[in-house]
Amino acid sequence: MARKFDAGYYVSEGFRSIFTHGFMSFAAVCMIVACLIIMGSFTLLAVNLDSMLGDLEDENELAVYVDETYTEEQARAMSPKIKAVPNVASANFVTRQAALDQWRAGRENNELLADLPGEVLRDRFYVHIVDIEQIAQTKADLEALEGVGYVGAAIEVAEGFVLVRNIATGVALALVGMLLIISLFIIANTIKLATFYRREEIAIMKMCGATDGFIQWPFVVEGMLLGLTGAVVAFFAQWGLYQLVSKLVIQSNGLSLVTMASYESMVGTILPVFCGVGAAIGVGGSLLAIRKFLQV
Amino acid sequence: MIRLIDIYKEYDNGTKALKGVNVRIDDGEFVFLVGPSGSGKSTLIKLITAEIAPTEGRLMVNGYNLTNITPRQVPYMRRTLGIIFQDFRLIEKKTVHENLSFSMRAIGASNRELKRRIPYVLQLVGLEQKANRYPGELSGGEQQRVAIARALVNNPSMIIADEPTGNLDPQRSLEIMMLLERINELGTTVLVVTHEKNLVNRFDKRVVAIENGRIISDRTGGYYNGEKI
Ligand SMILES: Nc1ncnc2c1ncn2[C@@H]1O[C@H](COP(=O)(O)OP(=O)(O)O)[C@@H](O)[C@H]1O
Ligand SMILES: [Mg+2]
C-alpha cells in the first residue's frame, strides 16, 4: 500500500511535537548548546595551543655545537649522523666564522669586537625537530654523538607548552564525554515525554498495524531538530565568545608568544562538527527513549 | 481465518487465563464469544492481536503463524484485523475524519486513498454528516460507530470487537450489533466478545461460550447463559 517514506509527515509531526512540550524542548536545546560550547571552547583552546606548539617547533632550533678540536671538514662530515637521529627534521651547518659574522652584524661600531678571531666560536648545526614533545630525548641523543660538544635547547618552554596542551586536551575530553552523556540523557527524557504525550496515538497506530519505523521516525526527527537547533545556537554563541576572548588576549598581550587562529578561518570545520554532534545527540537520545516503547 | 490449537495462557503472576482452548473461525463467519467476567475472553482476543503470546499451543491468524511470527511481521498481520474496544479509544483532539485519516496514514495510505475510502466508511456507519465533529461532541453510540469506521477503514478481512456495547444503552447496543451484522454481510469476518445474553439471543449466530479458561460450548444458533447452552 502506497508510500514507504513520507518525509513531510515525519518532519511536520516532529515540529508539532516540539511545540506541544515547549519547556522540555527548550531545556534540551539549552543543554545541547551548553554541551557544544564547552566542548567547542576546549577544542578551540587545544587548537590554539597546538598551533602555537607548531610555531614553537618551527622556531625552536636546537643548536648542536661541534667539538672545538674538529676541523671544518670533520664537522661538516657529521651532518648525515645528525640527520639520522630520530625526530630530527633538518640540520643546517654554520661555520664558526659565519656565526661570528652574523653575531657581529649590527655591532660594527664596537671596536672591541673588531679583531675577534673566528676561533672563539664553535662550528655548529642548527637542528629543527619534528615533534616538540620529544625535545629532551632528542637533545640527549644528539649529545651522545661523537664530536658533539653540547646542545643548546629551550627545553623548559617547550615542555611547559606541551604540559598545558596535554592538560587542556585531557580536561576537554573528560568534560565533553560527561556533557555528551548528560545531553543524551536530557534528550532521551524530552523524547520520552513526547512519547508519553502521544501514548494513545502510538497505541492506536500499533493497533492499526503501523511499523516501528513509522512510529519512531517523528520522534527521531524531533530529536534531530532539537540537536540541530542547539548546534546552530551554539555556533553563533561560540563565535561571540571567541571574538571576546581574542580581543582580551590581544589587549593584554605582553607575551607575543600568543597568537590566535581566527574563528572565521575555522567556520568550515566548526559548523559541520557542531551540527554533526548535535544531530547525533538528538537522534541517539530519541532512539534511546523509544526503543523501550516499541516492544509490544 | 483463525485457528487456536491447544492454547494455554498463564500470566506472569501465575493466573491461568486459558486452559487448552481450541477454536476455528472461518472467513465470512459471524461469531459471538461469550462468558462471564474473568473467563478469559479478552485474553483470547489479545492472543489473536499478538499483544500477548501463548504459553503453549499453536495459533494461526489470517495466514500468519503467530507461534513463530517475527516482530517485523506483526504490524502486517495486524493490518488484516480491525479492532474495536468497549472504551472506543478515539483521539479526542482529532475530528472524526482526522481519526480515520490518522489510522490510514499509520499504514502509509496516500491522500487519494484517504479521499476515496473515508467517505465510504462514514456512510456505511451512518456518520457522513458528522465528519468534522470531535468525539466529545458525539453520543456514545456515535463514538462507537466512529471506532467501527476506523476499524474498517483499512479494509481488514476480520473485525474483532471486545465488548463493543459495554458502555451503551440497550437500543444503541442493538444498533451496533446490527451494524456489525451488516458489515459481516458485506464480506468481513466478525468476532464479537460480549456477556450480554439478551443481545446475543436476538441474533441467530454461532456462539462460542468460554468459562474459567475453557470452551464449554460452541454451536450455531446457541443461546447464552443456561437456556440452550
Ligand atoms: N495482564 C494480566 N496479568 C495477570 N492476570 C491477568 C492479566 N489480564 C487478565 N488476567 C487474569 O486472567 C483472567 C482472564 O481475564 P480476561 O481475559 O480479561 O477475562 P474477561 O475478558 O473474560 O473478563 C482473569 O482472572 C484476570 O484476572
Ligand atoms: Mg474482557
Side-chain angles (χ1 to χ4, degrees):
Chain A
M1 206 178 197
R3 298 167 297 178
K4 275 260 162 292
F5 189 94
D6 184 347
Y9 166 82
Y10 298 130
V11 171
S12 70
E13 285 297 295
F15 264 114
R16 195 170 67 95
S17 189
I18 284 180
F19 291 108
T20 55
H21 44 276
F23 178 74
M24 199 63 191
S25 303
F26 178 73
V29 169
C30 288
M31 198 57 214
I32 290 179
V33 169
C35 171
L36 286 173
I37 286 181
I38 293 176
M39 182 180 107
S41 298
F42 274 91
T43 310
L44 287 171
L45 179 64
V47 164
N48 276 296
L49 287 174
D50 227 37
S51 88
M52 283 183 234
L53 271 181
D55 292 347
L56 215 60
E57 271 160 5
D58 289 343
E59 286 165 14
N60 196 46
E61 294 171 326
L62 284 76
V64 178
Y65 298 103
V66 178
D67 196 313
E68 284 164 316
T69 60
Y70 274 43
T71 64
E72 189 180 323
E73 282 70 45
Q74 284 175 309
R76 275 187 195 280
M78 289 172 64
S79 176
K81 273 203 282 180
I82 288 172
K83 284 180 179 158
V85 169
N87 198 32
V88 168
S90 66
N92 288 329
F93 182 71
V94 175
T95 63
R96 54 186 85 181
Q97 190 58 52
L100 184 62
D101 291 345
Q102 198 182 5
W103 190 69
R104 273 193 183 133
R107 296 182 178 87
E108 287 87 354
N109 300 330
N110 195 330
E111 291 155 23
L112 280 175
L113 303 177
D115 49 351
L116 209 61
E119 285 71 41
V120 294
L121 296 180
R122 294 167 181 241
D123 291 327
R124 78 276 313 270
F125 288 89
Y126 289 113
V127 169
H128 283 265
I129 56 173
V130 179
D131 179 6
I132 200 162
E133 278 192 64
Q134 295 170 34
I135 188 168
Q137 180 61 44
T138 308
K139 178 173 187 271
D141 290 346
L142 288 168
E143 278 171 338
L145 290 178
E146 198 180 332
V148 170
Y150 64 97
V151 176
I155 287 188
E156 286 77 15
V157 176
E159 288 188 337
F161 252 95
V162 168
L163 184 68
V164 171
R165 199 260 321 252
N166 288 351
I167 290 175
T169 308
V171 171
L173 283 179
L175 263 178
V176 166
M178 218 168 64
L179 284 162
L180 281 180
I181 291 169
I182 294 174
S183 313
L184 212 61
F185 181 76
I186 298 252
I187 287 274
N189 268 303
T190 310
I191 300 298
K192 229 179 253 171
L193 196 69
T195 58
F196 181 76
Y197 273 114
R198 302 183 59 197
R199 63 197 180 285
E200 274 185 348
E201 294 180 25
I202 292 174
I204 289 166
M205 283 195 270
K206 283 179 157 268
M207 180 185 86
C208 295
T211 59
D212 287 355
F214 182 89
I215 294 170
Q216 77 186 31
W217 264 108
F219 297 109
V220 172
V221 169
E222 179 178 352
M224 197 165 77
L225 286 173
L226 291 175
L228 287 176
T229 307
V232 171
V233 172
F235 171 78
F236 286 107
Q238 182 83 69
W239 197 336
L241 190 68
Y242 193 80
Q243 300 302 61
L244 194 73
V245 172
S246 296
K247 207 180 277 173
L248 288 177
V249 165
I250 290 165
Q251 274 170 8
S252 68
N253 196 356
L255 316 151
S256 49
L257 263 176
V258 183
T259 54
M260 286 183 75
S262 80
Y263 196 80
E264 288 82 351
S265 72
M266 296 181 285
V267 160
T269 318
I270 295 172
L271 191 57
V273 168
F274 271 28
C275 288
V277 173
I281 295 173
V283 170
S286 45
L287 287 178
L288 213 65
I290 54 192
R291 210 183 37 189
K292 188 193 105 230
F293 225 97
L294 295 174
Q295 291 162 356
V296 172
Chain B
M1 191 197 74
I2 291 180
R3 290 202 69 178
L4 285 84
I5 303 165
D6 292 329
I7 290 288
Y8 289 79
K9 176 62 192 180
E10 179 176 340
Y11 284 107
D12 289 341
N13 66 3
T15 307
K16 292 185 167 71
L18 295 177
K19 306 163 185 171
V21 168
N22 287 282
V23 177
R24 175 189 169 125
I25 296 172
D26 286 321
D27 289 343
E29 278 195 281
F30 188 114
V31 179
F32 282 119
L33 177 63
V34 302
S37 186
S39 55
K41 305 183 296 296
S42 293
T43 300
L44 202 150
I45 297 300
K46 285 178 189 159
L47 285 170
I48 293 170
T49 60
E51 250 183 271
I52 56 176
T55 312
E56 225 181 279
R58 296 206 301 134
L59 179 52
M60 251 84 70
V61 175
N62 292 333
Y64 290 87
N65 182 348
L66 299 199
T67 321
N68 55 19
I69 195 167
T70 65
R72 280 182 158 279
Q73 286 179 304
V74 169
Y76 298 96
M77 184 280 291
R78 287 197 182 132
R79 290 177 193 189
T80 69
L81 304 173
I83 308 168
I84 299 161
F85 300 95
Q86 176 172 346
D87 55 0
F88 320 137
R89 302 201 189 170
L90 302 173
I91 301 168
E92 292 295 326
K93 56 183 193 294
K94 289 187 193 291
T95 64
V96 169
H97 191 280
E98 286 165 352
N99 266 279
L100 300 187
S101 58
F102 179 78
S103 286
M104 288 189 77
R105 285 189 195 287
I107 65 165
S110 68
N111 286 331
R112 271 182 63 215
E113 288 167 306
L114 263 61
K115 278 210 185 90
R116 211 181 51 225
R117 184 73 182 165
I118 293 174
Y120 169 73
V121 291
L122 280 179
Q123 171 258 316
L124 189 63
V125 302
L127 285 177
E128 60 269 56
Q129 305 301 325
K130 312 234 162 151
N132 295 318
R133 299 287 187 85
Y134 288 88
E137 301 169 344
L138 303 176
S139 71
E142 286 170 330
Q143 289 190 49
Q144 192 58 298
R145 281 191 278 154
V146 176
I148 292 172
R150 181 180 61 193
L152 280 174
V153 81
N154 289 329
N155 205 12
S157 59
M158 179 179 290
I159 292 279
I160 292 179
D162 192 352
E163 313 236 17
T165 61
N167 284 347
L168 304 179
D169 63 54
Q171 183 54 33
R172 268 5 93 191
S173 298
L174 185 62
E175 284 169 18
I176 291 294
M177 287 303 176
M178 286 164 67
L179 176 57
L180 290 172
E181 186 181 35
R182 165 136 170 69
I183 289 163
N184 174 243
E185 282 161 4
L186 291 172
T188 308
T189 313
V190 175
L191 172 60
V192 185
V193 170
T194 183
H195 58 252
E196 294 172 66
K197 62 173 179 177
N198 294 333
L199 206 49
V200 174
N201 294 350
R202 291 186 69 146
F203 294 85
D204 189 26
K205 302 290 184 194
R206 177 177 166 196
V207 179
V208 176
I210 186 170
E211 210 173 295
N212 196 17
R214 290 191 181 87
I215 305 289
I216 55 161
S217 148
D218 180 352
R219 65 175 84 179
T220 300
Y223 292 91
Y224 170 38
N225 238 2
E227 292 175 38
K228 243 176 88 177
I229 283 174

